[in-house]
Amino acid sequence: MQHTIPVAATALPTPPVMTFTQMLEQVRYDGAYPTRERAEQVLRTVLAALGRQLTGEERTDLAARLPREAAEILLAAPDPRTTCPSGWAFVKDLAGETGDTLATTRWHVGSVLGVVARLAGRDLLDRVLTRLPAGYAILFGRAELTQAA
């Protein structure tokens, strides 16, 4: 008897596993922000900046994994830049926009992108990271692996 293999469930977008409020609370907890308002300000700033870096299917697939409000922030960002900066340059650019120190901005980025990474899942995050230049993996809470020369 021949068995048919169903189409992979990963072919369909996975609905978000948390609400926007839950996402905010997770960012607030991870970032140790004193208020939900501060966590939301950081979340909005980082997601908008990330939206300016991503293109194509990775951008829309990532948005599909986020709560609706977060997806709207990611997708509302202007068209991505023609050249995407390295992870470190991303943090420096964002620090320049917000007026925060580099260390504080790095903390904000890690607090938000760590939650985004969990919502994205391993396979989608792998795809996202292949589209971004070096230095982004650590921002999502992953080791940056490189091949030996």
Side-chain angles (χ1 to χ4, degrees):
M1 181 172 164
Q2 191 175 29
H3 295 285
T4 59
I5 300 172
V7 174
T10 58
L12 301 173
T14 304
V17 295
M18 64 174 63
T19 66
F20 187 67
T21 300
Q22 291 168 325
M23 185 179 189
L24 277 177
E25 285 303 319
Q26 191 62 58
V27 168
R28 182 178 177 192
Y29 178 80
D30 290 356
Y33 298 110
T35 64
R36 181 183 290 175
E37 291 76 22
R38 181 63 177 140
E40 184 170 357
Q41 178 186 30
V42 168
L43 175 79
R44 289 180 178 281
T45 301
V46 173
L47 281 180
L50 179 63
R52 293 190 299 265
Q53 310 310 315
L54 292 175
T55 60
E57 287 182 23
E58 288 72 26
R59 182 178 173 162
T60 55
D61 289 352
L62 182 59
R65 300 277 178 98
L66 301 177
R68 182 183 49 81
E69 297 91 335
E72 290 171 356
I73 297 164
L74 182 79
L75 296 174
D79 287 339
R81 298 174 181 163
T82 54
T83 58
C84 185
S86 69
W88 180 240
F90 174 79
V91 171
K92 285 175 56 177
D93 289 351
L94 195 53
E97 288 176 26
T98 63
D100 288 327
T101 66
L102 290 173
T104 299
T105 303
R106 171 60 184 89
W107 181 263
H108 295 330
V109 169
S111 298
V112 173
L113 296 187
V115 176
V116 169
R118 291 191 294 273
L119 289 170
R122 194 179 120 245
D123 292 341
L124 178 54
L125 186 57
D126 287 345
R127 287 180 31 222
V128 166
L129 290 173
T130 62
R131 294 291 196 158
L132 295 170
Y136 278 85
I138 194 73
L139 300 177
F140 283 94
R142 280 211 181 156
E144 185 87 32
L145 301 177
T146 58
Q147 288 192 309

